[in-house]
Amino acid sequence: MEDKAIFIGGIHGVGKTTLCKKLKKKLDICHHSASSLIKTLKNDDEDNFNKQVKNIDGNQKLLITAISKYVDRSTRYLLDGHFCLLDTNNIINKVPIVTFKDISPIGIVLLHDSIENIQNKIKGRDGKRYKSNLLLQFQDSEIMYSKEVADELKIPYIQFNVLDDIALIIDFVENITGR
């Protein structure tokens, strides 16, 4: 089976879901959230409010299982998720490369924004305020590792600022999916 995932990555609060909703409308494409897929198979008390993950490797295995169970991988789709995650000590951890190999995306879009905007979105959505330096390190790690993943998988990659014209991503997706 030929995989057709376009992975939309970025840190919490950057606007992945908002972007995916816009792309879904404009491209007539399915959208799945990695966290939602994991939650369909998960059964514990993980602190989702604080965005901390107790068992990063275990969560990624659940994600791969959920994708194989609930996602039609024969049609193109957007999968929003992360390249890095915070553990319970607020330490930034890379998602294992094997996860991305198993997802087998055909392209990567890395979404980024100013730290101030991200802080404001998280505060408005979750009522939580993260320190600027943590968010900056988190976003820098996400950007660097996303490039490494794209290089390792030898797939197209684009960085997208939320203030950029969405037409850039539409062209990117259409070029790599042949539409």
PDB file of all heavy atoms in Angstrom, residues 100-118:
ATOM      1  N   PHE A 100       8.321   7.934  12.541  1.00  0.00           N
ATOM      2  CA  PHE A 100       8.140   8.591  11.242  1.00  0.00           C
ATOM      3  C   PHE A 100       8.363   7.613  10.092  1.00  0.00           C
ATOM      4  O   PHE A 100       7.697   7.704   9.065  1.00  0.00           O
ATOM      5  CB  PHE A 100       9.044   9.821  11.134  1.00  0.00           C
ATOM      6  CG  PHE A 100       8.696  10.854  12.165  1.00  0.00           C
ATOM      7  CD1 PHE A 100       9.450  10.978  13.314  1.00  0.00           C
ATOM      8  CD2 PHE A 100       7.574  11.659  12.025  1.00  0.00           C
ATOM      9  CE1 PHE A 100       9.118  11.901  14.294  1.00  0.00           C
ATOM     10  CE2 PHE A 100       7.225  12.578  12.999  1.00  0.00           C
ATOM     11  CZ  PHE A 100       8.007  12.711  14.133  1.00  0.00           C
ATOM     12  N   LYS A 101       9.257   6.681  10.285  1.00  0.00           N
ATOM     13  CA  LYS A 101       9.440   5.649   9.261  1.00  0.00           C
ATOM     14  C   LYS A 101       8.176   4.814   9.127  1.00  0.00           C
ATOM     15  O   LYS A 101       7.766   4.457   8.024  1.00  0.00           O
ATOM     16  CB  LYS A 101      10.647   4.775   9.594  1.00  0.00           C
ATOM     17  CG  LYS A 101      11.959   5.506   9.391  1.00  0.00           C
ATOM     18  CD  LYS A 101      13.148   4.636   9.752  1.00  0.00           C
ATOM     19  CE  LYS A 101      14.444   5.396   9.495  1.00  0.00           C
ATOM     20  NZ  LYS A 101      15.632   4.607   9.850  1.00  0.00           N
ATOM     21  N   ASP A 102       7.535   4.509  10.266  1.00  0.00           N
ATOM     22  CA  ASP A 102       6.294   3.729  10.237  1.00  0.00           C
ATOM     23  C   ASP A 102       5.132   4.527   9.643  1.00  0.00           C
ATOM     24  O   ASP A 102       4.291   3.972   8.937  1.00  0.00           O
ATOM     25  CB  ASP A 102       5.924   3.249  11.642  1.00  0.00           C
ATOM     26  CG  ASP A 102       6.840   2.155  12.160  1.00  0.00           C
ATOM     27  OD1 ASP A 102       7.589   1.554  11.356  1.00  0.00           O
ATOM     28  OD2 ASP A 102       6.827   1.902  13.375  1.00  0.00           O
ATOM     29  N   ILE A 103       5.068   5.818   9.937  1.00  0.00           N
ATOM     30  CA  ILE A 103       4.020   6.673   9.349  1.00  0.00           C
ATOM     31  C   ILE A 103       4.255   6.802   7.857  1.00  0.00           C
ATOM     32  O   ILE A 103       3.314   6.824   7.071  1.00  0.00           O
ATOM     33  CB  ILE A 103       4.006   8.066  10.019  1.00  0.00           C
ATOM     34  CG1 ILE A 103       3.541   7.956  11.471  1.00  0.00           C
ATOM     35  CG2 ILE A 103       3.119   9.046   9.228  1.00  0.00           C
ATOM     36  CD1 ILE A 103       3.744   9.230  12.292  1.00  0.00           C
ATOM     37  N   SER A 104       5.518   6.881   7.470  1.00  0.00           N
ATOM     38  CA  SER A 104       5.924   6.966   6.073  1.00  0.00           C
ATOM     39  C   SER A 104       5.271   8.145   5.340  1.00  0.00           C
ATOM     40  O   SER A 104       4.631   7.970   4.302  1.00  0.00           O
ATOM     41  CB  SER A 104       5.595   5.643   5.369  1.00  0.00           C
ATOM     42  OG  SER A 104       6.174   5.597   4.108  1.00  0.00           O
ATOM     43  N   PRO A 105       5.447   9.363   5.867  1.00  0.00           N
ATOM     44  CA  PRO A 105       4.831  10.515   5.199  1.00  0.00           C
ATOM     45  C   PRO A 105       5.472  10.775   3.835  1.00  0.00           C
ATOM     46  O   PRO A 105       6.639  10.434   3.612  1.00  0.00           O
ATOM     47  CB  PRO A 105       5.109  11.672   6.163  1.00  0.00           C
ATOM     48  CG  PRO A 105       6.332  11.269   6.904  1.00  0.00           C
ATOM     49  CD  PRO A 105       6.257   9.768   7.015  1.00  0.00           C
ATOM     50  N   ILE A 106       4.708  11.387   2.952  1.00  0.00           N
ATOM     51  CA  ILE A 106       5.238  11.747   1.628  1.00  0.00           C
ATOM     52  C   ILE A 106       5.738  13.188   1.616  1.00  0.00           C
ATOM     53  O   ILE A 106       6.320  13.638   0.639  1.00  0.00           O
ATOM     54  CB  ILE A 106       4.200  11.517   0.515  1.00  0.00           C
ATOM     55  CG1 ILE A 106       2.943  12.339   0.746  1.00  0.00           C
ATOM     56  CG2 ILE A 106       3.886  10.027   0.386  1.00  0.00           C
ATOM     57  CD1 ILE A 106       1.940  12.312  -0.401  1.00  0.00           C
ATOM     58  N   GLY A 107       5.499  13.912   2.703  1.00  0.00           N
ATOM     59  CA  GLY A 107       5.977  15.278   2.829  1.00  0.00           C
ATOM     60  C   GLY A 107       5.771  15.768   4.250  1.00  0.00           C
ATOM     61  O   GLY A 107       4.953  15.225   4.994  1.00  0.00           O
ATOM     62  N   ILE A 108       6.543  16.803   4.606  1.00  0.00           N
ATOM     63  CA  ILE A 108       6.457  17.387   5.944  1.00  0.00           C
ATOM     64  C   ILE A 108       6.271  18.893   5.827  1.00  0.00           C
ATOM     65  O   ILE A 108       6.985  19.553   5.075  1.00  0.00           O
ATOM     66  CB  ILE A 108       7.736  17.091   6.760  1.00  0.00           C
ATOM     67  CG1 ILE A 108       7.816  15.600   7.108  1.00  0.00           C
ATOM     68  CG2 ILE A 108       7.788  17.957   8.027  1.00  0.00           C
ATOM     69  CD1 ILE A 108       9.124  15.198   7.770  1.00  0.00           C
ATOM     70  N   VAL A 109       5.307  19.403   6.605  1.00  0.00           N
ATOM     71  CA  VAL A 109       5.111  20.837   6.768  1.00  0.00           C
ATOM     72  C   VAL A 109       5.399  21.135   8.235  1.00  0.00           C
ATOM     73  O   VAL A 109       4.756  20.565   9.110  1.00  0.00           O
ATOM     74  CB  VAL A 109       3.666  21.266   6.432  1.00  0.00           C
ATOM     75  CG1 VAL A 109       3.471  22.753   6.708  1.00  0.00           C
ATOM     76  CG2 VAL A 109       3.313  20.921   4.989  1.00  0.00           C
ATOM     77  N   LEU A 110       6.375  22.013   8.482  1.00  0.00           N
ATOM     78  CA  LEU A 110       6.677  22.411   9.854  1.00  0.00           C
ATOM     79  C   LEU A 110       6.112  23.801  10.064  1.00  0.00           C
ATOM     80  O   LEU A 110       6.495  24.750   9.397  1.00  0.00           O
ATOM     81  CB  LEU A 110       8.182  22.394  10.113  1.00  0.00           C
ATOM     82  CG  LEU A 110       8.632  22.536  11.562  1.00  0.00           C
ATOM     83  CD1 LEU A 110       8.571  23.920  12.116  1.00  0.00           C
ATOM     84  CD2 LEU A 110       8.010  21.513  12.465  1.00  0.00           C
ATOM     85  N   LEU A 111       5.175  23.902  10.970  1.00  0.00           N
ATOM     86  CA  LEU A 111       4.492  25.163  11.264  1.00  0.00           C
ATOM     87  C   LEU A 111       5.192  25.860  12.433  1.00  0.00           C
ATOM     88  O   LEU A 111       5.509  25.226  13.430  1.00  0.00           O
ATOM     89  CB  LEU A 111       3.034  24.858  11.620  1.00  0.00           C
ATOM     90  CG  LEU A 111       2.076  26.014  11.781  1.00  0.00           C
ATOM     91  CD1 LEU A 111       1.990  26.850  10.515  1.00  0.00           C
ATOM     92  CD2 LEU A 111       0.690  25.482  12.137  1.00  0.00           C
ATOM     93  N   HIS A 112       5.435  27.174  12.288  1.00  0.00           N
ATOM     94  CA  HIS A 112       6.049  27.932  13.376  1.00  0.00           C
ATOM     95  C   HIS A 112       5.419  29.312  13.470  1.00  0.00           C
ATOM     96  O   HIS A 112       4.757  29.785  12.548  1.00  0.00           O
ATOM     97  CB  HIS A 112       7.576  28.025  13.205  1.00  0.00           C
ATOM     98  CG  HIS A 112       8.016  28.713  11.951  1.00  0.00           C
ATOM     99  ND1 HIS A 112       8.305  30.051  11.905  1.00  0.00           N
ATOM    100  CD2 HIS A 112       8.201  28.245  10.701  1.00  0.00           C
ATOM    101  CE1 HIS A 112       8.668  30.380  10.679  1.00  0.00           C
ATOM    102  NE2 HIS A 112       8.610  29.291   9.926  1.00  0.00           N
ATOM    103  N   ASP A 113       5.624  29.932  14.611  1.00  0.00           N
ATOM    104  CA  ASP A 113       5.047  31.252  14.892  1.00  0.00           C
ATOM    105  C   ASP A 113       5.933  31.931  15.929  1.00  0.00           C
ATOM    106  O   ASP A 113       6.845  31.309  16.487  1.00  0.00           O
ATOM    107  CB  ASP A 113       3.613  31.075  15.426  1.00  0.00           C
ATOM    108  CG  ASP A 113       2.793  32.358  15.394  1.00  0.00           C
ATOM    109  OD1 ASP A 113       3.298  33.414  14.951  1.00  0.00           O
ATOM    110  OD2 ASP A 113       1.624  32.321  15.831  1.00  0.00           O
ATOM    111  N   SER A 114       5.627  33.177  16.223  1.00  0.00           N
ATOM    112  CA  SER A 114       6.387  33.866  17.276  1.00  0.00           C
ATOM    113  C   SER A 114       6.025  33.240  18.618  1.00  0.00           C
ATOM    114  O   SER A 114       4.903  32.761  18.820  1.00  0.00           O
ATOM    115  CB  SER A 114       6.064  35.359  17.290  1.00  0.00           C
ATOM    116  OG  SER A 114       4.793  35.593  17.851  1.00  0.00           O
ATOM    117  N   ILE A 115       6.974  33.250  19.527  1.00  0.00           N
ATOM    118  CA  ILE A 115       6.757  32.670  20.853  1.00  0.00           C
ATOM    119  C   ILE A 115       5.628  33.407  21.568  1.00  0.00           C
ATOM    120  O   ILE A 115       4.787  32.789  22.230  1.00  0.00           O
ATOM    121  CB  ILE A 115       8.067  32.684  21.675  1.00  0.00           C
ATOM    122  CG1 ILE A 115       9.130  31.824  20.983  1.00  0.00           C
ATOM    123  CG2 ILE A 115       7.818  32.229  23.110  1.00  0.00           C
ATOM    124  CD1 ILE A 115       8.723  30.393  20.675  1.00  0.00           C
ATOM    125  N   GLU A 116       5.568  34.708  21.415  1.00  0.00           N
ATOM    126  CA  GLU A 116       4.500  35.492  22.050  1.00  0.00           C
ATOM    127  C   GLU A 116       3.118  35.050  21.569  1.00  0.00           C
ATOM    128  O   GLU A 116       2.202  34.867  22.372  1.00  0.00           O
ATOM    129  CB  GLU A 116       4.705  36.984  21.771  1.00  0.00           C
ATOM    130  CG  GLU A 116       3.665  37.862  22.452  1.00  0.00           C
ATOM    131  CD  GLU A 116       3.874  39.348  22.162  1.00  0.00           C
ATOM    132  OE1 GLU A 116       4.865  39.716  21.505  1.00  0.00           O
ATOM    133  OE2 GLU A 116       3.017  40.127  22.612  1.00  0.00           O
ATOM    134  N   ASN A 117       2.967  34.851  20.263  1.00  0.00           N
ATOM    135  CA  ASN A 117       1.678  34.386  19.734  1.00  0.00           C
ATOM    136  C   ASN A 117       1.327  32.996  20.268  1.00  0.00           C
ATOM    137  O   ASN A 117       0.172  32.729  20.609  1.00  0.00           O
ATOM    138  CB  ASN A 117       1.687  34.364  18.206  1.00  0.00           C
ATOM    139  CG  ASN A 117       1.601  35.725  17.587  1.00  0.00           C
ATOM    140  OD1 ASN A 117       1.269  36.715  18.252  1.00  0.00           O
ATOM    141  ND2 ASN A 117       1.900  35.812  16.302  1.00  0.00           N
ATOM    142  N   ILE A 118       2.317  32.121  20.323  1.00  0.00           N
ATOM    143  CA  ILE A 118       2.076  30.764  20.828  1.00  0.00           C
ATOM    144  C   ILE A 118       1.658  30.819  22.293  1.00  0.00           C
ATOM    145  O   ILE A 118       0.695  30.167  22.696  1.00  0.00           O
ATOM    146  CB  ILE A 118       3.324  29.881  20.619  1.00  0.00           C
ATOM    147  CG1 ILE A 118       3.555  29.649  19.122  1.00  0.00           C
ATOM    148  CG2 ILE A 118       3.188  28.555  21.365  1.00  0.00           C
ATOM    149  CD1 ILE A 118       4.898  29.022  18.775  1.00  0.00           C
TER     150      ILE A 118
END
